[in-house]
Amino acid sequence: MKTLKKAAVALSVQAALLASLSIQAEEAEQQVDESKLEKITVTALKRTQSIQDVPVSIATMSGEKFENMFSSGDDILSLATRVPGLYAESSNGRVAPRFYMRGLGNTDFDLAASQPVSVIMDEVVMENVVLKSFPLFDIDQVEVIRGPQGTLFGRNTTAGILKFTSRKPTEDFEAYVKAGAGSYGLINLEGAIGGALSDDLSARLSLLNQSKDDWIDNGYTNEKDVMVGHEDKAVRLQLAYKPSEELDVLFQYHARDYEGTSSIFRANVLTTGSNDLNGNYDRETVWYDDGDDNPQEYENSGWSLNVNYDLGAITLTSITAMETAEGRSKGDIDGGVRQADDGSITVPAGLTSASYEDFGPQISFPGFIPFAAVTEDRMNDLEQFTQEIRFASNETMPLSWQAGVFFFDSSFSVTSIDGFFGATEVFHENTTWAVFGQSTYQVNDKLSVIGGLRYTYDEKSLSVGKQNENGFALVIGVASIQDYEDVNVDDGQLSWEGMANYRLTDDMSVYGRISNGFRAQSIQGRDIAFEGAPSVADAETIMSYEAGFKSDLFDRTVRLNGAIFHYTIDDIQLTAVGGEGNRVGLRNAGKGVGQGFEIDTEIRVNENLLLTAGFSYNKTELEDKDLLIPTCGSGQCTPKDPIDPVTKAAYVDGNPFPNAPETIFTATGRYSMPMGDDGEMYVYSDYAYQGETNLFIYETEEYVTDGQFELGLRVGYVNFDMDYEVALFGRNITDEDNLKAGIDFNNNTGVVNEPAVWGIEFKKNFY
């Protein structure tokens, strides 16, 4: 709380100082550069508004800043640490990303896991983790909306929302093509074409074809370049129909076909007692004796129909959507070799090894691998249907309002295939309905207040299909068919929020926000594949307090927004991943507390130089004196928490949330130089820094990172007359080796970031 109070005082003083400077600037009518910062509009409250008028902490990305992050063929995980307070990671390759905002997220790697950060793509919630990984291309804007958003967007938004908006069809013809090539055989092809098909109908077709070659060797089989490549194809077709001023209809179809590699697990790249990557780590080589080189393939598609009808005093909006997906991932989870030592195995030079005598002479490398582990997870027949209907007033002064209903239905099964236990399938179903409303009242020219309510009912079920099919454990009698009863849970919750926005000047406002939300109850069934029982977590509820300021200063050449926050989560849901046997168990801790602040700034120094920067501080803490979490099953890590002598589990009271960076700093700079009358050269660079981050619920010497960063660079030429651009780019240009995830049940396994990628990109627009 002392830190939070200091941050509040600092931000208050800074806000007052900036307001004073702004007033002085207006009074002195001082001369400023003609070039200004562009106005940004957002739809965080399901209305189009200036970002400076919305009393919510929001950051946006678009244009060059956004596109440059994906020039090297990266996926949605590239958003991690690019915005203050936002983090992302995955142990499932390019599918099933896990997002964290203000320190709050979910470490569960299961395909049925829920998350407290919601992903909204073109007004449709992508609830399942696979749907969240749809590739980003032809995007108009990304909104990072921090804090609980339970009133307008429902459950599972306790941390915030990532909201993606695609470029929409226009009546005028427009098109673009973009082609890039780079390191590791990178080919990145993207384009779109659109315009009017008739007086009432417009269309836009967007395409993506992205690929990289395999570049990681399997040192055990002596196969070269057999892993980590991918090919990602996606399409989006949009039809906009506007037969009158009152009615507009937007239909969208999108599809993806992805084939690549799941995460690369690297055995014992951490030494007991240290979080530094050791001599077992070789970025371009792994040693796998199983897993078929970790293949991954997914297909998904969907459609949505968005109808807006102006009835005069109110507008009716209907959004109907369907999403489907299926696919699989397989991996050598132990990350190395565990084989009988028949004299034919030679440990590669430089690698550590271990010897065993449990089934005759055995050897493992790199390092200690007590047993082999290979698993495959399959997503089967995912179907998600959503329907939202809302009414919104067309009058905005002094009172505006919106109200609606929402329905969600999802079903799928997950098949987990273990090399010892065989295949087990579990079925998941989830149904949700909600009613909601929000209103804004303009008290006077300076003060507006907003209030909202939402009631949500959520029901989930799990049932078990086949068990231990073709499993060796069943044949030898170690496993047996269990009699599992269906699991059914349901809950109804009320979410609410209240906000106030006060304009100090035309260019600066302060706001306060109190918000309540909940994350629905969860069922975890993956342990059934290993003769374990399913686990259930009750719903968690959050109470969040936020205050901030927003300012456009010095004739709109400086934008500075800041916020402080404090939240308390009751019955916070935790996923205890790993431990002995690599189980995945859901837990409810008593409380979780988070507090901190964010600052975002954008400065137009002059017509040639634009700078941006952002910083966040997140202090999170678990509060439950009786909560015990199993530590590493391998015994190779070094827990720092008190250990219960009976269960050998760790007391984690007072620990930070897992994967919650304490600090994030991001900065970009763009400097341009005119080239003749119709072009410019430019240099663009971006920097992202990640402060101390604990990877698991329990604390160890090994699974904690600090001071990790990545740096990007882009040098290009733009011709305004012919509307084309050519650029050289580099991502992670200092080739940092950053630990991003870990697995603790078998050995000290690590997952690292992508290496440096260099390339060239060309883009041409047509009008």
Side-chain angles (χ1 to χ4, degrees), residues 462-533:
L462 176 144
S463 60
V464 181
K466 61 186 177 184
Q467 294 181 50
N468 307 129
E469 186 176 69
N470 300 322
F472 182 63
L474 192 64
V475 173
I476 64 176
V478 175
S480 60
I481 302 299
Q482 305 292 312
D483 184 18
Y484 292 104
E485 294 184 0
D486 293 351
V487 180
N488 297 280
V489 293
D490 66 282
D491 197 1
Q493 294 274 358
L494 184 68
S495 303
W496 58 270
E497 62 184 347
M499 296 172 271
N501 192 68
Y502 186 82
R503 281 196 171 275
L504 297 173
T505 71
D506 289 341
D507 298 319
M508 185 173 192
S509 61
V510 293
Y511 72 89
R513 181 171 186 257
I514 303 174
S515 52
N516 166 272
F518 83 102
R519 180 173 159 209
Q521 65 282 352
S522 299
I523 306 174
Q524 172 56 260
R526 196 174 190 278
D527 282 357
I528 295 172
F530 306 96
E531 298 289 292

Side-chain angles (χ1 to χ4, degrees), residues 63 66-68 70-71 136-139 167 175-181 187-192 207-209 714 725 760-766:
F66 175 78
E67 293 179 358
N68 191 49
F70 300 93
S71 56
L136 304 178
F137 62 103
D138 200 22
I139 295 293
R167 295 189 181 101
Y176 78 92
V177 292
K178 183 165 65 175
I187 299 293
N188 197 0
L189 303 175
E190 181 182 322
L207 300 168
L208 173 73
N209 191 334
R714 187 179 184 92
E725 175 184 354
I760 186 170
E761 189 173 80
F762 174 82
K763 182 178 181 179
K764 167 70 175 170
N765 294 306
F766 303 90

Side-chain angles (χ1 to χ4, degrees), residues 95 236 278 369 473 614 639-640 647:
V95 300
R236 182 187 301 114
N278 59 29
I369 303 175
K640 296 191 291 184
T647 64

Side-chain angles (χ1 to χ4, degrees), residues 515-683:
S515 52
N516 166 272
F518 83 102
R519 180 173 159 209
Q521 65 282 352
S522 299
I523 306 174
Q524 172 56 260
R526 196 174 190 278
D527 282 357
I528 295 172
F530 306 96
E531 298 289 292
S535 56
V536 176
D538 295 331
E540 66 181 23
T541 57
I542 185 171
M543 181 62 72
S544 174
Y545 304 89
E546 178 180 318
F549 67 91
K550 298 188 178 186
S551 57
D552 283 335
L553 306 171
F554 307 117
D555 203 13
R556 220 173 71 235
T557 59
V558 175
R559 179 170 295 140
L560 182 64
N561 297 341
I564 59 174
F565 62 87
H566 177 93
Y567 63 80
T568 300
I569 309 172
D570 290 323
D571 298 319
I572 181 173
Q573 294 185 27
L574 299 174
T575 306
V577 178
E580 187 176 358
N582 197 27
R583 298 299 173 92
V584 185
L586 297 178
R587 308 286 180 87
N588 282 107
K591 283 186 179 181
V593 177
Q595 56 188 331
F597 64 91
E598 302 121 1
I599 296 178
D600 298 280
T601 187
E602 190 173 5
I603 304 172
R604 171 63 71 178
V605 180
N606 54 47
E607 62 182 8
N608 302 116
L609 179 60
L610 176 67
L611 303 175
T612 72
F615 180 80
S616 64
Y617 172 77
N618 300 299
K619 179 66 174 179
T620 60
E621 185 176 347
L622 295 171
E623 295 186 359
D624 190 329
K625 296 186 182 300
D626 298 321
L627 182 62
L628 289 167
I629 297 295
T631 63
C632 52
S634 65
Q636 299 301 293
C637 73
T638 312
K640 296 191 291 184
D641 300 312
I643 302 298
D644 180 73
V646 178
T647 64
K648 306 302 181 183
Y651 286 98
V652 297
D653 179 56
N655 284 3
F657 298 173
N659 280 320
E662 189 170 75
T663 57
I664 290 175
F665 174 72
T666 180
T668 70
R670 188 185 194 275
Y671 182 75
S672 61
M673 297 157 285
M675 301 291 290
D677 296 330
D678 56 2
E680 70 172 17
M681 291 286 296
Y682 69 86
V683 178

